[in-house]
Amino acid sequence: METGRANIIEIVKLEKSYEGIPVLKGIDLKVGKGDLVSIIGRSGCGKTTLLRCINCLEIFDAGEMNIAGIKLHREKGSNKEDKKIRKQQNDIRNNISMPIQDLKSYDDISEDFRIKANKLRSNVGMLFQSLNLFPHMTVIENIIKAPVVVQKTDKETARKYAKFILEKVGMEKYANRYPHQLSGGQCQRVAISRALAMNPKVMLYDEPTSALDPELVEEVLQVMRLLHDEGMTQLVVTHTLSFARNVSDEVIYMEDGKFIESGKPEEIFTNPKDDRTKEYLQILRQ
């Protein structure tokens, strides 16, 4: 989406395959600074893979990314997709803390690429479907872990900022509780707080409300609206059409590894132009 604001996300012809099977087939995306963009589409169409490539949790095979001023580029065919690489990817798929330099099997990735990828990850926060909160740590310990370990922030400074974030999301009273003592919506807010503790320029969400009871969805969406009002750039993969329609600056329909249609929410939901978008929306409305 091109707005009057500078683009903070620019992606050109992004491709990604697993074991020779294409998952992303030449994705082009532009997101203006401060915009909230929702990506909708059937399960398995490549939405989550796209988010993981943007955050460098997966290494894309070809294309270009410019995220918050950090540019990454790969030529098609440079990725040696062998068993060793796939095993390494599986090992890190749910490990948010492993830095790019630990991907030893990617012998075709330059040191410059690794450095840029790590820097990019420090600018991009991500909320996973599984949340990945540390169960043996309290809420505030979960939040300060990354700033202390990755950014080398002293614990007292990290703790003060964590309390500020918890107050913002309405979780300050729960700082010393453990994840198992919280509701699903509260755990989601803690996970968002943990991502915000790294001072990201972009937030990515993978189905942020899919595992929540309906009465808990609103408290999570309220935090995302607050961040939108504060100017945080957010890219959201969601099946919650009411949220996509009411809060997004742009909605994108994705199918089979490609962007099929994009536009203002009222355009996509009221008068979609592509038959595939129409069919998808009709199915969800039944």
Side-chain angles (χ1 to χ4, degrees):
M1 179 178 184
E2 297 190 56
T3 65
R5 290 172 283 190
N7 293 321
I8 193 169
I9 297 175
E10 292 187 352
I11 294 173
V12 180
K13 300 187 183 306
L14 200 73
E15 298 182 15
K16 177 66 182 176
S17 297
Y18 293 116
E19 301 189 28
I21 300 174
V23 178
L24 301 179
K25 304 175 181 178
I27 296 293
D28 293 325
L29 174 65
K30 292 183 179 181
V31 179
K33 185 177 181 180
D35 284 345
L36 192 156
V37 176
S38 293
I39 303 176
I40 61 174
R42 294 175 174 85
S43 297
C45 72
K47 302 186 301 295
T48 295
T49 297
L50 175 59
L51 292 189
R52 294 182 68 87
C53 284
I54 291 174
N55 202 26
C56 286
L57 290 169
E58 303 281 358
I59 303 302
F60 59 92
D61 297 334
E64 298 179 1
M65 295 198 314
N66 186 340
I67 314 294
I70 301 170
K71 299 179 182 179
L72 293 174
H73 171 80
R74 299 201 80 203
E75 296 289 343
K76 191 170 184 178
S78 65
N79 188 17
K80 302 173 183 177
E81 191 69 39
D82 57 20
K83 291 182 180 180
K84 187 177 180 182
I85 289 176
R86 291 195 295 274
K87 180 181 184 302
Q88 189 71 26
Q89 287 181 326
N90 289 332
D91 288 344
I92 69 156
R93 187 147 288 147
N94 293 311
N95 187 339
I96 63 171
S97 61
M98 181 178 288
I100 293 298
Q101 62 258 30
D102 288 342
L103 301 183
K104 302 299 184 183
S105 58
Y106 281 98
D107 54 8
D108 60 314
I109 293 179
S110 68
E111 185 63 22
D112 179 65
F113 188 101
R114 298 171 197 270
I115 292 171
K116 287 181 178 179
N118 276 320
K119 186 176 180 181
L120 184 150
R121 287 179 66 182
S122 70
N123 285 325
V124 179
M126 185 163 177
L127 184 71
F128 299 84
Q129 279 185 284
S130 57
L131 300 186
N132 293 330
L133 294 176
F134 297 111
H136 62 290
M137 294 183 180
T138 64
V139 165
I140 200 160
E141 288 171 343
N142 264 280
I143 294 172
I144 70 172
K145 181 68 174 179
V148 170
V149 173
V150 178
Q151 296 180 331
K152 309 304 180 184
T153 305
D154 70 85
K155 284 190 176 182
E156 187 57 34
T157 300
R159 188 175 293 272
K160 286 181 180 179
Y161 189 56
K163 289 180 178 179
F164 168 76
I165 297 172
L166 286 173
E167 184 175 356
K168 177 186 294 189
V169 302
M171 288 292 293
E172 66 275 14
K173 296 179 181 179
Y174 304 92
N176 295 315
R177 292 194 184 183
Y178 291 88
H180 73 272
Q181 298 174 312
L182 305 175
S183 69
Q186 290 169 336
C187 284
Q188 289 279 27
R189 284 187 280 165
V190 172
I192 293 173
S193 299
R194 183 177 62 179
L196 292 175
M198 296 289 285
N199 282 304
K201 296 179 181 178
V202 175
M203 280 289 294
L204 309 176
Y205 305 85
D206 187 10
E207 296 288 358
T209 61
S210 63
L212 299 180
D213 294 332
E215 63 269 22
L216 300 178
V217 169
E218 182 56 32
E219 63 185 73
V220 176
L221 299 185
Q222 187 174 349
V223 173
M224 296 169 70
R225 292 189 191 101
L226 171 64
L227 295 177
H228 188 213
D229 291 341
E230 292 181 347
M232 174 65 73
T233 305
Q234 300 177 87
L235 190 59
V236 187
V237 164
T238 183
H239 284 108
T240 307
L241 297 190
S242 58
F243 171 78
R245 182 168 190 165
N246 296 329
V247 182
S248 305
D249 297 296
E250 180 185 18
V251 175
I252 299 170
Y253 174 62
M254 186 173 183
E255 184 174 304
D256 191 28
K258 301 177 182 178
F259 286 170
I260 303 303
E261 185 172 358
S262 64
K264 295 283 188 180
E266 57 268 26
E267 297 171 355
I268 297 297
F269 290 105
T270 303
N271 188 31
K273 296 179 176 59
D274 194 282
D275 289 340
R276 290 166 290 186
T277 311
K278 293 177 183 177
E279 180 183 359
Y280 173 74
L281 294 175
Q282 286 173 353
I283 291 172
L284 291 187
R285 288 164 179 162
Q286 289 176 357

